[in-house]
Amino acid sequence: MIYRYDGTFPGFLCAVYEAYHDGTSHTEGICAGTAPAGLFSEEKEVASREETALRVGAAFYRNCGRAASQWLYRAFLAEEEGREDVLFTYVREGFRLKRGLYARRAEPWAWTVFQWAQKTGAEAGKLMGLVRFRELAEGLLYAEISPTHDVLPLLAPHFRKRLSGEAWAIHDVRRRRAACWDRHTLFLAEVPERAEDIRNSESEEALQRMWRTYYRHIAVTERHNPDLRRSFMPQKYWRYLPEMQERPGSR
């Protein structure tokens, strides 16, 4: 049986639930969206239900602990090809081994999950220091990102605490989603297309000009080292940094 889900983490947990409900011995795999399945495989569409997802997630947390649950979630957000089969093995072994899961980290399936989780966590940590908000004409703080991994769900709680008194939105341009905080509620919203008429406030335009001027003046030409800069701040992030605009190679 191939279980087809909507591509979200809650949807994946619901697929896990259905696999256990039907008997894992009959499970051929879990597929997201329109991913191809086996030619002669029987398929089952799995609806994403919050209650079911919470039930599976809580059971895994109870049996395997916080760290194992965090690895599972972050590994899913890495969006690696074929992630479902590896993660399903990880979940299945977790329910079997319980806290003994930690002692099996050298197993290929466990090590892969751990490595994926590390990559997602590392990119989220880097972006926590690189996200640049700008004030729009409407007063909203707005930032654009385009990360390799789906780190928006990890960034949103961080900035909710850091900027709790401001209304803001972080727009993942690549995935066409935004995390929004209206000073009361944090939510994710689909953004079908990037708006081209986004206007900064007058104070924001002045601030960015001042910042770019300051950045140019403190630069020491003799110490210019693009390779070293890229090792600390990958070039893929430059296009969203005001200080890197109007500079060669900034886009």
Side-chain angles (χ1 to χ4, degrees), residues 13-14 17 21 49-63 95:
L13 295 180
C14 289
Y17 176 86
H21 180 269
R49 299 183 296 273
E50 183 179 1
E51 182 180 353
T52 301
L54 290 173
R55 181 178 175 183
V56 175
F60 189 82
Y61 186 99
R62 187 168 57 251
N63 281 275
F95 281 130

Side-chain angles (χ1 to χ4, degrees), residues 4-251:
R4 193 172 292 282
Y5 73 109
D6 62 2
T8 66
F9 186 65
F12 171 74
L13 295 180
C14 289
V16 170
Y17 176 86
E18 291 295 330
Y20 268 88
H21 180 269
D22 295 341
T24 57
S25 61
H26 302 292
T27 303
E28 295 181 56
I30 298 175
C31 294
T34 58
L39 183 61
F40 302 105
S41 299
E42 184 180 355
E43 293 190 15
K44 183 175 184 178
E45 292 286 342
V46 178
S48 182
R49 299 183 296 273
E50 183 179 1
E51 182 180 353
T52 301
L54 290 173
R55 181 178 175 183
V56 175
F60 189 82
Y61 186 99
R62 187 168 57 251
N63 281 275
C64 303
R66 178 178 179 180
S69 297
Q70 186 180 75
W71 295 346
L72 173 64
Y73 182 50
R74 293 190 174 191
F76 182 88
L77 296 179
E79 297 184 326
E80 295 287 348
E81 186 176 355
R83 60 182 169 174
E84 289 85 6
D85 290 341
V86 176
L87 295 177
F88 182 62
T89 298
Y90 179 78
V91 171
R92 189 170 55 190
E93 290 298 311
F95 281 130
R96 184 176 70 87
L97 298 168
K98 296 182 172 53
R99 301 287 171 150
L101 182 63
Y102 297 101
R104 305 295 291 274
R105 202 166 80 178
E107 296 285 348
W109 47 267
W111 182 247
T112 298
V113 169
F114 180 68
Q115 291 292 94
W116 290 349
Q118 276 202 320
K119 288 195 296 185
T120 304
E123 184 169 37
K126 193 177 297 263
L127 278 171
M128 285 176 188
L130 290 177
V131 169
R132 295 291 191 269
F133 287 96
R134 52 193 173 106
E135 185 182 60
L136 304 187
E138 299 81 5
L140 176 75
L141 296 183
Y142 173 78
E144 290 180 319
I145 60 174
S146 185
T148 301
H149 309 296
D150 186 13
V151 299
L152 190 60
L154 304 180
L155 295 177
H158 169 78
F159 285 103
R160 177 182 59 187
K161 294 179 181 178
R162 184 176 176 186
L163 298 171
S164 60
E166 304 287 344
W168 53 259
I170 303 176
H171 182 190
D172 185 338
V173 178
R174 179 179 176 184
R175 294 168 183 82
R176 299 183 178 184
R177 287 192 304 160
C180 306
W181 171 252
D182 61 4
R183 299 189 181 93
H184 302 287
T185 306
L186 180 64
F187 58 95
L188 292 177
E190 299 296 324
V191 183
E193 295 182 3
R194 181 183 183 277
E196 298 297 335
D197 59 346
I198 296 176
R199 295 182 298 107
N200 292 342
S201 67
E202 292 183 7
S203 59
E204 177 66 24
E205 288 292 342
L207 181 62
Q208 288 199 15
R209 285 194 298 270
M210 290 172 58
W211 174 240
R212 286 193 290 266
T213 300
Y214 170 75
Y215 187 79
R216 286 195 298 270
H217 279 79
I218 65 170
V220 179
T221 305
E222 293 76 10
R223 295 183 180 180
H224 183 63
N225 188 335
D227 292 335
L228 181 62
R229 172 188 287 170
R230 280 190 288 269
S231 70
F232 284 101
M233 184 172 57
Q235 194 166 357
K236 66 181 179 180
Y237 301 128
W238 291 8
R239 63 177 298 182
Y240 301 114
L241 302 177
E243 62 266 33
M244 298 305 296
Q245 305 306 311
E246 300 177 3
R247 297 179 63 86
S250 64
R251 291 185 178 273

